[in-house]
Amino acid sequence: MDISHYGYAFSTNLCRFDSKAAFLKKIIFLPFLLLCLSIFAQQEAAERYVNMDTVQNIANISSSCYLLVDSNGIITPENLTGGRFLPLQDVFNSKYLPARQASRTFYLKFTLKNDSSSARNYFLYPGKVYRSFQLYKVIRGNQLQKLETSGLRTGFIPFRMEGASTTSFILQATFYKTQFNDIQATIIAPHILKAFQSRMYETMTEKKVVGIVLSGMLLMMILMTFLNFFITRKVEFLYNSLYSLCMFLLIFFTSYLGLHPGWFKGLFISYLDMLLLMVGTVFYILFTRYFLESRSRYPRIDPLFKYETIGLLGLLAGYTVLHFGFNNFELELMYENAIKIIVLMAGIIYILLAMVQKNKLLNYLAIGVAIQVFCYIVSLSLNLINA
């Protein structure tokens, strides 16, 4: 028997075995290669930066920003750089943040490159409305350097870029509990900041014009009713004046603070507007009660005024505790809507009772209550729509 045949067969099978082994190696290596490419692509995306030579006036850099949301309250500046930042536009693509996100801490990361040999100063507009923020600079070894951070009152954060450097910044921020929070990143040159702010603050919208006109009318009512109280010493005019004052402050600041990003707007639309609305309603009830002398003249309606006043003050106390003592904005919104529904029901009951009495004075006051009911319906509808 010719042994060469055995040698040929052995060599042929060995080649086949080698080719199979190589094929298996390719199959195993291919996913590994794809994984490496994916990681490399992610690293490349994470290193995206903005060349500050292109920022002469204003530049929106939101597309080059990355966001980390601390949902569980466990992230600190010490372990922040190990967190997973995602592109800002992939995390939030709506105009405002969802209500469930309002109580969380956000970390906004952006990288800037300054090719110039000289340092440059800029302002960062990160959106609205922030309760607090702190700017960090990423230095060697992914360590964070805490920078002096101002601008909470205005909403614009000044910072400095060193010459011939590429620097990553991280903004740690918390929001007021509102439905109108938004995150963005706009870099503004110092020489254009005043013009940018003027355009933002002083733009006359239809809402602002109507608000200014209503504020002027309420201011006249305040002066007239307070003058009547000063002359007659009747307490109902004082209550009416205080009611008009609450409505004046509510409408004026709602109109004036429309586009302001500072901290006072956040405090106002998160708590003070509801406070003024409820306190104003209490003053109007007291005015109605003393003006009608309901204790003696309308004993069927007087208990409604009395218990509604007590109930509103109790609900306001609960709202205050919920707002400042807890960190659950969704529950706070439900509570606020429940208050408005209760006030609506009380207003409708009063209007029905006034119609039963068939008294002109009661009917005139019922018209005022109907206007309040309409305003509460509008406010409740906006809450539900935004939710």
Side-chain angles (χ1 to χ4, degrees):
M1 181 180 291
D2 188 359
I3 196 171
S4 63
H5 294 289
Y6 291 99
Y8 174 76
F10 178 78
S11 62
T12 303
N13 290 331
L14 181 61
C15 291
R16 291 176 180 173
F17 178 80
D18 287 342
S19 63
K20 291 179 179 179
F23 180 72
L24 290 174
K25 287 180 180 178
K26 290 180 181 179
I27 293 177
I28 296 173
F29 179 74
L30 184 59
F32 178 76
L33 178 62
L34 293 175
L35 179 62
C36 291
L37 289 174
S38 175
I39 295 173
F40 179 75
Q42 290 177 2
Q43 290 177 344
E44 286 295 321
E47 294 175 358
R48 192 185 310 167
Y49 63 86
V50 176
N51 194 326
M52 301 306 290
D53 289 341
T54 62
V55 183
Q56 301 299 325
N57 295 314
I58 302 171
N60 190 313
I61 63 169
S62 298
S63 60
S64 299
C65 292
Y66 298 85
L67 191 68
L68 177 63
V69 183
D70 185 8
S71 303
N72 301 315
I74 59 175
I75 297 177
T76 63
E78 288 73 22
N79 62 13
L80 175 60
T81 53
R84 185 186 178 192
F85 284 83
L86 298 175
L88 172 60
Q89 295 179 339
D90 291 348
V91 179
F92 294 114
N93 53 15
S94 58
K95 184 176 181 181
Y96 300 117
L97 298 183
R100 65 181 182 277
Q101 303 280 6
S103 303
R104 297 174 180 175
T105 303
F106 295 81
Y107 296 90
L108 182 70
K109 182 179 181 181
F110 55 96
T111 302
L112 307 178
K113 183 179 181 181
N114 183 12
D115 290 330
S116 173
S117 58
S118 59
R120 295 179 177 179
N121 295 319
Y122 295 97
F123 286 87
L124 170 67
Y125 172 60
K128 58 182 184 297
V129 280
Y130 289 92
R131 185 178 61 186
S132 66
F133 45 57
Q134 174 62 53
L135 190 63
Y136 295 91
K137 181 168 71 173
V138 181
I139 57 178
R140 293 183 300 273
N142 280 336
Q143 297 298 313
L144 294 184
Q145 178 185 352
K146 189 175 183 179
L147 303 178
E148 182 179 353
T149 307
S150 60
L152 188 62
R153 182 182 63 84
T154 62
F156 296 86
I157 306 171
F159 70 98
R160 183 179 178 86
M161 271 291 297
E162 299 299 331
S165 64
T166 300
T167 308
S168 293
F169 295 91
I170 296 179
L171 180 69
Q172 178 189 27
T174 58
F175 287 95
Y176 279 98
K177 290 186 282 186
T178 78
Q179 299 183 71
F180 307 102
N181 301 323
D182 74 282
I183 299 178
Q184 57 175 285
T186 301
I187 303 295
I188 306 166
H191 70 274
I192 205 71
L193 179 65
K194 292 297 183 182
F196 185 87
Q197 290 176 329
S198 296
R199 183 178 179 183
M200 177 180 289
Y201 301 159
E202 298 174 7
T203 301
M204 293 298 293
T205 61
E206 293 180 359
K207 176 182 176 181
K208 182 176 287 189
V209 172
V210 172
I212 292 173
V213 172
L214 289 177
S215 298
M217 295 172 61
L218 286 169
L219 187 59
M220 293 176 62
M221 289 179 61
I222 293 170
L223 295 176
M224 183 183 66
T225 52
F226 186 76
L227 182 61
N228 282 335
F229 168 71
F230 184 77
I231 294 173
T232 63
R233 296 297 177 179
K234 291 184 177 181
V235 70
E236 55 263 35
F237 291 111
L238 176 62
Y239 287 138
N240 191 282
S241 180
L242 292 173
Y243 161 72
S244 300
L245 177 62
C246 290
M247 295 301 103
F248 166 78
L249 294 174
L250 178 61
I251 294 175
F252 174 77
F253 281 117
T254 300
S255 305
Y256 176 75
L257 296 173
L259 296 176
H260 281 245
W263 70 271
F264 183 71
K265 177 185 177 178
L267 178 62
F268 180 80
I269 64 176
S270 66
Y271 176 73
L272 292 181
D273 60 345
M274 188 65 180
L275 174 69
L276 289 171
L277 187 63
M278 295 184 68
V279 171
T281 303
V282 169
F283 282 135
Y284 187 82
I285 294 171
L286 291 173
F287 157 72
T288 304
R289 190 179 181 197
Y290 281 91
F291 184 72
L292 292 176
E293 299 177 353
S294 59
R295 182 180 299 178
S296 57
R297 299 178 61 185
Y298 303 101
R300 294 179 58 186
I301 299 179
D302 186 69
L304 174 65
F305 294 149
K306 183 189 300 184
Y307 293 131
E308 187 178 4
T309 301
I310 297 172
L312 282 177
L313 292 176
L315 290 172
L316 178 58
Y319 181 78
T320 302
V321 171
L322 186 60
H323 180 80
F324 292 103
F326 296 88
N327 209 20
N328 191 332
F329 183 46
E330 290 182 297
L331 179 60
E332 185 177 324
L333 278 179
M334 294 173 59
Y335 188 85
E336 179 181 337
N337 292 335
I339 291 175
K340 292 175 180 177
I341 291 173
I342 292 172
V343 174
L344 282 175
M345 293 174 61
I348 292 172
I349 292 173
Y350 171 76
I351 293 172
L352 294 175
L353 290 175
M355 292 174 63
V356 171
Q357 294 290 331
K358 297 180 180 180
N359 183 288
K360 286 187 177 181
L361 190 59
L362 278 176
N363 291 336
Y364 287 139
L365 291 176
I367 293 173
V369 173
I371 295 173
Q372 282 190 324
V373 167
F374 174 75
C375 293
Y376 270 97
I377 291 175
V378 171
S379 178
L380 179 62
S381 300
L382 289 175
N383 273 2
L384 297 176
I385 291 171
N386 289 328

